[in-house]
Amino acid sequence: MYDCLEATISRPATTGLRKNRRLNFDRYREHHCLQLRAAPYTGPHSLIRAFAAAQSLHLPTHNLPDGSLLILDLLCTEALLFQRRFPDLLAIYEPARPIPKG
């Protein structure tokens, strides 16, 4: 039975998380970006291997505060190859969006 007098419902604050994820991409909006993060209940080994693979290809990388890896200047086909090579990582690809001049 539920107590009708308790009207306080706690909800997780997801809007701030979505906003922060978006800010990560807005900072690098003039670059093609691939963000890789470890799936829940997996270790960081695949993420470390993905970092090593990006470094061996001389691609610029950034470690984000949430523990994910951002790889810059990848084309869509290259991002798909990264996702195929590391299927246990969650990937978000964002194409470049140059700022219009004028």
Side-chain angles (χ1 to χ4, degrees), residues 3-64:
D3 188 4
C4 297
L5 299 176
E6 289 282 331
T8 60
I9 299 173
S10 63
R11 291 186 178 188
T14 57
T15 56
L17 292 174
R18 288 185 194 138
K19 193 181 240 185
N20 288 340
R21 279 190 200 148
R22 196 55 169 163
L23 289 176
N24 292 336
F25 286 123
D26 285 343
R27 183 175 174 193
Y28 304 105
R29 72 178 288 146
E30 294 183 5
H31 300 276
H32 299 289
C33 299
L34 176 66
Q35 183 180 14
L36 297 172
R37 72 178 68 227
Y41 306 109
T42 60
H45 303 295
S46 293
L47 200 57
I48 293 169
R49 287 190 357 242
F51 174 76
Q55 289 295 311
S56 69
L57 296 171
H58 303 289
L59 295 171
T61 60
H62 293 284
N63 292 324
L64 298 177

Side-chain angles (χ1 to χ4, degrees), residues 31-36 59 71-85 91-96:
H31 300 276
H32 299 289
C33 299
L34 176 66
Q35 183 180 14
L36 297 172
L59 295 171
I71 304 172
L72 301 174
D73 301 331
L74 283 172
L75 298 176
C76 184
T77 54
E78 295 168 331
L80 289 171
L81 289 173
F82 256 90
Q83 182 61 29
R84 183 185 294 171
R85 184 171 179 186
I92 301 171
Y93 180 76
E94 187 79 21

